[in-house]
Amino acid sequence: MPSSSSSINRAAAWWTGETVAVVTGANRGIGHALAARLAEQGLCVVVTARDEARGEAAAAALRARGLRGAVRFRRLDVADPASVDAFASWVRDELGGLDILVNNAGVSFNEMDTNSVEHAETVLRTNFYGAKMLTEALLPLFRRSPTTSRILNISSQLGLLNKVKDPQLRRMLLDEAALTEGDIEGMASRFLAQVADGTWRGRGWPEVWTDYAVSKLALNAYSRLLASRLAGRGVSVNCFCPGFTRTDMTRGLGKRTAEEAGRVAAGLALLPPQHLPTGKFFKWRTPQLYSKL
């Protein structure tokens, strides 16, 4: 498969100005850079954020750059069912549907060298449950076509299976034929229950940014199941790990800029139909096996 490139071949574009891309958490960082790149390519981009003033300002900043595509803003809190329902209704009534969903909204409350689980419930509710809830709400609104409909989940290699030390959990997640969404949600609930009673340490969970890693472990597993569920039904589902990127989440530390990560993510979101996979985890530009990294 050709790698995605920061230099997207517009001459071979499969999209038009009517192609709708929703990017969550796009008021800053990778999400903002990704939205800018998609608008630059001429798509209609919906920027979402929890904070209305910041989201409006982010969308206005993109419009001020004179990008080829239209830029819209809509408030969205992926962790709030009422907000998700209202957003889905708006997409249906105002835009008539969508073609691309980038689940970028995410949170972490740890410093680079800490591993607190104080905010584990918020992290799981946003990074996993929220992304899943929004995806399921928008699925009926995708203009299903092998050339256009695609979901890209911004994830992390911290949530790959080689970070899991519990052999029983690893076996469950590796058995894709038997794995269910209930199993994944049960795993997340079990982790939160152990956090609540203080017994999560030494249970085989990932050891770096544990709550964030578990949220991405669940998101990766859900993405694989969703890709299988939608196979042959006109929607591809993939994950992208931008690596150690300089954002607010990393307190400005990292090997690359948000703009660099946004360009690569946009390249993956706009892969030519003949090169569009499903059920893959991209570490930067390269598809990886979930269990081998």
Side-chain angles (χ1 to χ4, degrees), residues 207-253:
E207 296 175 354
V208 177
W209 280 16
T210 300
D211 55 1
Y212 180 82
V214 171
S215 75
K216 295 303 186 179
L217 179 69
L219 181 63
N220 291 342
Y222 167 67
S223 299
R224 289 181 2 246
L225 281 190
L226 185 62
S228 177
R229 183 174 122 204
L230 297 177
R233 297 172 60 187
V235 183
S236 73
V237 185
N238 294 295
C239 291
F240 168 60
C241 172
F244 193 26
T245 302
R246 296 194 288 276
T247 64
D248 289 349
M249 187 178 292
T250 63
R251 310 303 188 262
L253 301 175

Short mmCIF file of all heavy atoms in Angstrom, two decimals, residues 207-253:
data_model
loop_
_atom_site.label_atom_id
_atom_site.label_comp_id
_atom_site.label_asym_id
_atom_site.label_seq_id
_atom_site.Cartn_x
_atom_site.Cartn_y
_atom_site.Cartn_z
N GLU A 207 1.17 -0.05 31.61
CA GLU A 207 1.83 0.59 32.75
C GLU A 207 2.13 2.07 32.54
O GLU A 207 2.55 2.75 33.48
CB GLU A 207 3.12 -0.17 33.06
CG GLU A 207 2.85 -1.61 33.51
CD GLU A 207 4.11 -2.42 33.72
OE1 GLU A 207 5.20 -1.90 33.40
OE2 GLU A 207 4.01 -3.56 34.19
N VAL A 208 1.98 2.56 31.31
CA VAL A 208 2.23 3.97 31.01
C VAL A 208 0.89 4.65 30.73
O VAL A 208 0.12 4.18 29.89
CB VAL A 208 3.17 4.13 29.79
CG1 VAL A 208 3.35 5.60 29.44
CG2 VAL A 208 4.51 3.47 30.08
N TRP A 209 0.62 5.75 31.47
CA TRP A 209 -0.65 6.47 31.30
C TRP A 209 -1.80 5.46 31.25
O TRP A 209 -2.54 5.35 30.28
CB TRP A 209 -0.63 7.31 30.02
CG TRP A 209 0.08 8.62 30.13
CD1 TRP A 209 0.96 9.00 31.11
CD2 TRP A 209 -0.02 9.72 29.22
NE1 TRP A 209 1.41 10.28 30.86
CE2 TRP A 209 0.83 10.75 29.72
CE3 TRP A 209 -0.74 9.95 28.06
CZ2 TRP A 209 0.98 11.98 29.08
CZ3 TRP A 209 -0.60 11.17 27.41
CH2 TRP A 209 0.25 12.18 27.93
N THR A 210 -1.95 4.69 32.32
CA THR A 210 -2.82 3.51 32.30
C THR A 210 -4.24 3.82 31.87
O THR A 210 -4.82 3.10 31.03
CB THR A 210 -2.80 2.82 33.67
OG1 THR A 210 -1.45 2.43 33.98
CG2 THR A 210 -3.68 1.57 33.66
N ASP A 211 -4.86 4.86 32.44
CA ASP A 211 -6.25 5.13 32.07
C ASP A 211 -6.38 5.50 30.59
O ASP A 211 -7.27 5.02 29.88
CB ASP A 211 -6.88 6.20 32.96
CG ASP A 211 -6.11 7.52 33.02
OD1 ASP A 211 -5.07 7.65 32.34
OD2 ASP A 211 -6.56 8.43 33.75
N TYR A 212 -5.46 6.32 30.10
CA TYR A 212 -5.45 6.70 28.69
C TYR A 212 -5.20 5.47 27.81
O TYR A 212 -5.88 5.26 26.79
CB TYR A 212 -4.37 7.75 28.46
CG TYR A 212 -4.25 8.24 27.03
CD1 TYR A 212 -5.10 9.23 26.54
CD2 TYR A 212 -3.26 7.75 26.20
CE1 TYR A 212 -4.97 9.69 25.24
CE2 TYR A 212 -3.13 8.20 24.90
CZ TYR A 212 -3.98 9.18 24.42
OH TYR A 212 -3.85 9.62 23.13
N ALA A 213 -4.24 4.64 28.21
CA ALA A 213 -3.91 3.44 27.45
C ALA A 213 -5.09 2.48 27.37
O ALA A 213 -5.38 1.91 26.31
CB ALA A 213 -2.69 2.74 28.04
N VAL A 214 -5.80 2.29 28.49
CA VAL A 214 -6.97 1.40 28.48
C VAL A 214 -8.06 1.97 27.57
O VAL A 214 -8.74 1.23 26.84
CB VAL A 214 -7.50 1.18 29.91
CG1 VAL A 214 -8.84 0.44 29.88
CG2 VAL A 214 -6.48 0.38 30.72
N SER A 215 -8.23 3.30 27.58
CA SER A 215 -9.24 3.90 26.71
C SER A 215 -8.91 3.65 25.24
O SER A 215 -9.81 3.39 24.43
CB SER A 215 -9.36 5.40 26.99
OG SER A 215 -8.27 6.15 26.45
N LYS A 216 -7.63 3.70 24.89
CA LYS A 216 -7.24 3.47 23.50
C LYS A 216 -7.22 1.97 23.17
O LYS A 216 -7.47 1.58 22.03
CB LYS A 216 -5.86 4.09 23.24
CG LYS A 216 -5.85 5.62 23.36
CD LYS A 216 -6.86 6.28 22.43
CE LYS A 216 -6.74 7.80 22.46
NZ LYS A 216 -7.69 8.47 21.55
N LEU A 217 -6.91 1.14 24.16
CA LEU A 217 -7.03 -0.31 23.99
C LEU A 217 -8.46 -0.67 23.60
O LEU A 217 -8.71 -1.45 22.66
CB LEU A 217 -6.62 -1.02 25.27
CG LEU A 217 -6.69 -2.55 25.31
CD1 LEU A 217 -5.62 -3.15 24.41
CD2 LEU A 217 -6.51 -3.05 26.75
N ALA A 218 -9.42 -0.09 24.31
CA ALA A 218 -10.83 -0.34 24.02
C ALA A 218 -11.22 0.23 22.66
O ALA A 218 -11.95 -0.41 21.89
CB ALA A 218 -11.70 0.26 25.12
N LEU A 219 -10.74 1.43 22.34
CA LEU A 219 -11.06 2.05 21.05
C LEU A 219 -10.49 1.23 19.90
O LEU A 219 -11.16 1.02 18.88
CB LEU A 219 -10.50 3.47 21.00
CG LEU A 219 -10.78 4.25 19.71
CD1 LEU A 219 -12.27 4.46 19.50
CD2 LEU A 219 -10.04 5.59 19.73
N ASN A 220 -9.27 0.74 20.04
CA ASN A 220 -8.66 -0.09 18.99
C ASN A 220 -9.46 -1.36 18.77
O ASN A 220 -9.70 -1.77 17.63
CB ASN A 220 -7.22 -0.44 19.37
CG ASN A 220 -6.29 0.76 19.33
OD1 ASN A 220 -6.59 1.79 18.73
ND2 ASN A 220 -5.16 0.65 20.01
N ALA A 221 -9.85 -2.01 19.86
CA ALA A 221 -10.61 -3.26 19.75
C ALA A 221 -11.98 -3.00 19.10
O ALA A 221 -12.42 -3.76 18.23
CB ALA A 221 -10.77 -3.90 21.12
N TYR A 222 -12.64 -1.93 19.54
CA TYR A 222 -13.93 -1.57 18.94
C TYR A 222 -13.78 -1.26 17.46
O TYR A 222 -14.62 -1.66 16.64
CB TYR A 222 -14.51 -0.36 19.67
CG TYR A 222 -15.68 0.28 18.96
CD1 TYR A 222 -16.90 -0.38 18.81
CD2 TYR A 222 -15.56 1.57 18.43
CE1 TYR A 222 -17.96 0.22 18.15
CE2 TYR A 222 -16.62 2.18 17.78
CZ TYR A 222 -17.82 1.50 17.63
OH TYR A 222 -18.86 2.09 16.97
N SER A 223 -12.71 -0.60 17.08
CA SER A 223 -12.48 -0.26 15.67
C SER A 223 -12.35 -1.52 14.83
O SER A 223 -12.88 -1.58 13.71
CB SER A 223 -11.22 0.60 15.54
OG SER A 223 -11.35 1.81 16.25
N ARG A 224 -11.65 -2.52 15.35
CA ARG A 224 -11.51 -3.78 14.61
C ARG A 224 -12.86 -4.45 14.44
O ARG A 224 -13.20 -4.93 13.35
CB ARG A 224 -10.54 -4.71 15.34
CG ARG A 224 -9.13 -4.21 15.23
CD ARG A 224 -8.05 -5.05 15.88
NE ARG A 224 -8.38 -6.27 16.52
CZ ARG A 224 -8.26 -6.48 17.84
NH1 ARG A 224 -7.91 -5.50 18.64
NH2 ARG A 224 -8.51 -7.65 18.34
N LEU A 225 -13.64 -4.49 15.51
CA LEU A 225 -14.97 -5.11 15.41
C LEU A 225 -15.86 -4.35 14.45
O LEU A 225 -16.59 -4.94 13.65
CB LEU A 225 -15.63 -5.16 16.79
CG LEU A 225 -15.20 -6.25 17.76
CD1 LEU A 225 -16.15 -6.27 18.95
CD2 LEU A 225 -15.19 -7.61 17.09
N LEU A 226 -15.82 -3.01 14.52
CA LEU A 226 -16.66 -2.20 13.64
C LEU A 226 -16.25 -2.38 12.18
O LEU A 226 -17.12 -2.47 11.30
CB LEU A 226 -16.56 -0.73 14.04
CG LEU A 226 -17.48 0.23 13.29
CD1 LEU A 226 -18.95 -0.12 13.54
CD2 LEU A 226 -17.19 1.68 13.69
N ALA A 227 -14.96 -2.46 11.93
CA ALA A 227 -14.50 -2.68 10.57
C ALA A 227 -15.03 -4.00 10.02
O ALA A 227 -15.47 -4.09 8.86
CB ALA A 227 -12.97 -2.66 10.52
N SER A 228 -15.01 -5.02 10.86
CA SER A 228 -15.54 -6.32 10.44
C SER A 228 -17.05 -6.25 10.21
O SER A 228 -17.57 -6.80 9.23
CB SER A 228 -15.21 -7.37 11.50
OG SER A 228 -15.75 -8.63 11.18
N ARG A 229 -17.75 -5.56 11.11
CA ARG A 229 -19.19 -5.42 11.01
C ARG A 229 -19.62 -4.68 9.74
O ARG A 229 -20.64 -5.01 9.13
CB ARG A 229 -19.69 -4.67 12.24
CG ARG A 229 -21.18 -4.48 12.35
CD ARG A 229 -21.48 -3.85 13.71
NE ARG A 229 -22.19 -2.61 13.62
CZ ARG A 229 -22.17 -1.66 14.54
NH1 ARG A 229 -21.44 -1.82 15.63
NH2 ARG A 229 -22.86 -0.56 14.38
N LEU A 230 -18.81 -3.71 9.32
CA LEU A 230 -19.17 -2.89 8.17
C LEU A 230 -18.50 -3.34 6.87
O LEU A 230 -18.67 -2.69 5.84
CB LEU A 230 -18.78 -1.43 8.45
CG LEU A 230 -19.51 -0.75 9.61
CD1 LEU A 230 -18.97 0.65 9.82
CD2 LEU A 230 -21.01 -0.73 9.37
N ALA A 231 -17.75 -4.43 6.92
CA ALA A 231 -17.07 -4.92 5.72
C ALA A 231 -18.08 -5.16 4.60
O ALA A 231 -19.11 -5.82 4.81
CB ALA A 231 -16.31 -6.20 6.03
N GLY A 232 -17.79 -4.60 3.44
CA GLY A 232 -18.68 -4.76 2.29
C GLY A 232 -19.92 -3.89 2.34
O GLY A 232 -20.80 -4.01 1.48
N ARG A 233 -20.01 -3.01 3.34
CA ARG A 233 -21.20 -2.16 3.49
C ARG A 233 -20.89 -0.68 3.27
O ARG A 233 -21.65 0.20 3.64
CB ARG A 233 -21.82 -2.37 4.87
CG ARG A 233 -22.32 -3.81 5.08
CD ARG A 233 -22.77 -4.07 6.50
NE ARG A 233 -23.86 -3.19 6.91
CZ ARG A 233 -24.34 -3.14 8.15
NH1 ARG A 233 -23.81 -3.92 9.08
NH2 ARG A 233 -25.32 -2.32 8.45
N GLY A 234 -19.73 -0.40 2.66
CA GLY A 234 -19.46 0.95 2.20
C GLY A 234 -18.83 1.90 3.19
O GLY A 234 -18.77 3.10 2.93
N VAL A 235 -18.31 1.40 4.33
CA VAL A 235 -17.64 2.28 5.29
C VAL A 235 -16.37 1.58 5.77
O VAL A 235 -16.43 0.46 6.27
CB VAL A 235 -18.53 2.60 6.51
CG1 VAL A 235 -17.80 3.59 7.44
CG2 VAL A 235 -19.86 3.18 6.08
N SER A 236 -15.23 2.25 5.62
CA SER A 236 -13.98 1.71 6.14
C SER A 236 -13.71 2.29 7.52
O SER A 236 -14.16 3.40 7.84
CB SER A 236 -12.81 2.05 5.20
OG SER A 236 -12.47 3.42 5.31
N VAL A 237 -12.99 1.53 8.35
CA VAL A 237 -12.68 1.96 9.72
C VAL A 237 -11.21 1.68 9.99
O VAL A 237 -10.77 0.52 9.90
CB VAL A 237 -13.53 1.21 10.77
CG1 VAL A 237 -13.26 1.78 12.17
CG2 VAL A 237 -15.01 1.29 10.43
N ASN A 238 -10.44 2.71 10.31
CA ASN A 238 -9.03 2.55 10.61
C ASN A 238 -8.64 3.42 11.79
O ASN A 238 -9.35 4.35 12.16
CB ASN A 238 -8.17 2.91 9.39
CG ASN A 238 -8.38 1.96 8.23
OD1 ASN A 238 -8.05 0.78 8.31
ND2 ASN A 238 -8.95 2.46 7.14
N CYS A 239 -7.49 3.09 12.39
CA CYS A 239 -6.94 3.88 13.49
C CYS A 239 -5.61 4.48 13.07
O CYS A 239 -4.89 3.93 12.24
CB CYS A 239 -6.71 3.01 14.72
SG CYS A 239 -8.22 2.44 15.53
N PHE A 240 -5.29 5.62 13.68
CA PHE A 240 -4.03 6.31 13.38
C PHE A 240 -3.37 6.74 14.68
O PHE A 240 -3.99 7.42 15.50
CB PHE A 240 -4.30 7.53 12.49
CG PHE A 240 -3.12 8.48 12.37
CD1 PHE A 240 -1.91 8.03 11.86
CD2 PHE A 240 -3.23 9.80 12.77
CE1 PHE A 240 -0.83 8.90 11.75
CE2 PHE A 240 -2.16 10.68 12.66
CZ PHE A 240 -0.95 10.22 12.14
N CYS A 241 -2.13 6.34 14.87
CA CYS A 241 -1.32 6.79 16.00
C CYS A 241 -0.33 7.83 15.51
O CYS A 241 0.57 7.50 14.73
CB CYS A 241 -0.57 5.62 16.64
SG CYS A 241 0.63 6.15 17.90
N PRO A 242 -0.47 9.09 15.93
CA PRO A 242 0.45 10.13 15.46
C PRO A 242 1.80 10.09 16.13
O PRO A 242 2.70 10.83 15.74
CB PRO A 242 -0.30 11.42 15.81
CG PRO A 242 -1.14 11.06 16.98
CD PRO A 242 -1.55 9.62 16.78
N GLY A 243 1.95 9.23 17.15
CA GLY A 243 3.22 9.19 17.86
C GLY A 243 3.37 10.36 18.81
O GLY A 243 2.41 11.06 19.15
N PHE A 244 4.58 10.58 19.25
CA PHE A 244 4.88 11.59 20.27
C PHE A 244 4.87 12.97 19.61
O PHE A 244 5.85 13.41 18.99
CB PHE A 244 6.23 11.28 20.89
CG PHE A 244 6.55 12.04 22.14
CD1 PHE A 244 5.54 12.54 22.97
CD2 PHE A 244 7.87 12.26 22.51
CE1 PHE A 244 5.85 13.23 24.13
CE2 PHE A 244 8.18 12.94 23.67
CZ PHE A 244 7.17 13.44 24.48
N THR A 245 3.73 13.65 19.72
CA THR A 245 3.50 14.89 19.00
C THR A 245 3.37 16.05 19.98
O THR A 245 2.78 15.92 21.05
CB THR A 245 2.21 14.78 18.15
OG1 THR A 245 2.35 13.68 17.25
CG2 THR A 245 1.97 16.05 17.35
N ARG A 246 3.90 17.20 19.60
CA ARG A 246 3.88 18.38 20.46
C ARG A 246 2.48 19.00 20.49
O ARG A 246 2.08 19.72 19.57
CB ARG A 246 4.92 19.39 19.98
CG ARG A 246 6.35 18.88 20.09
CD ARG A 246 7.38 19.97 19.93
NE ARG A 246 7.51 20.47 18.56
CZ ARG A 246 8.26 19.90 17.62
NH1 ARG A 246 8.94 18.78 17.89
NH2 ARG A 246 8.34 20.41 16.42
N THR A 247 1.74 18.69 21.54
CA THR A 247 0.39 19.22 21.74
C THR A 247 0.22 19.60 23.20
O THR A 247 1.11 19.37 24.02
CB THR A 247 -0.69 18.18 21.37
OG1 THR A 247 -0.58 17.06 22.28
CG2 THR A 247 -0.53 17.68 19.94
N ASP A 248 -0.95 20.14 23.53
CA ASP A 248 -1.23 20.45 24.94
C ASP A 248 -1.20 19.19 25.79
O ASP A 248 -0.80 19.22 26.96
CB ASP A 248 -2.60 21.12 25.07
CG ASP A 248 -2.60 22.54 24.51
OD1 ASP A 248 -1.50 23.07 24.23
OD2 ASP A 248 -3.69 23.12 24.37
N MET A 249 -1.63 18.05 25.21
CA MET A 249 -1.66 16.80 25.97
C MET A 249 -0.27 16.37 26.40
O MET A 249 -0.09 15.80 27.48
CB MET A 249 -2.34 15.70 25.15
CG MET A 249 -2.56 14.41 25.92
SD MET A 249 -3.40 13.13 24.96
CE MET A 249 -5.03 13.84 24.77
N THR A 250 0.74 16.64 25.57
CA THR A 250 2.12 16.27 25.90
C THR A 250 2.89 17.44 26.50
O THR A 250 4.11 17.38 26.61
CB THR A 250 2.85 15.76 24.65
OG1 THR A 250 2.93 16.81 23.68
CG2 THR A 250 2.16 14.55 24.06
N ARG A 251 2.15 18.49 26.87
CA ARG A 251 2.74 19.69 27.47
C ARG A 251 3.81 20.30 26.55
O ARG A 251 4.83 20.81 26.99
CB ARG A 251 3.35 19.39 28.84
CG ARG A 251 2.42 18.66 29.81
CD ARG A 251 1.11 19.40 30.06
NE ARG A 251 0.33 18.78 31.12
CZ ARG A 251 -0.68 17.94 30.92
NH1 ARG A 251 -1.04 17.62 29.69
NH2 ARG A 251 -1.36 17.44 31.94
N GLY A 252 3.56 20.19 25.23
CA GLY A 252 4.46 20.81 24.25
C GLY A 252 5.69 19.99 23.92
O GLY A 252 6.54 20.43 23.13
N LEU A 253 5.80 18.80 24.50
CA LEU A 253 6.93 17.92 24.19
C LEU A 253 6.57 17.00 23.03
O LEU A 253 5.40 16.71 22.80
CB LEU A 253 7.30 17.10 25.42
CG LEU A 253 7.69 17.88 26.68
CD1 LEU A 253 7.89 16.93 27.85
CD2 LEU A 253 8.94 18.71 26.43
#
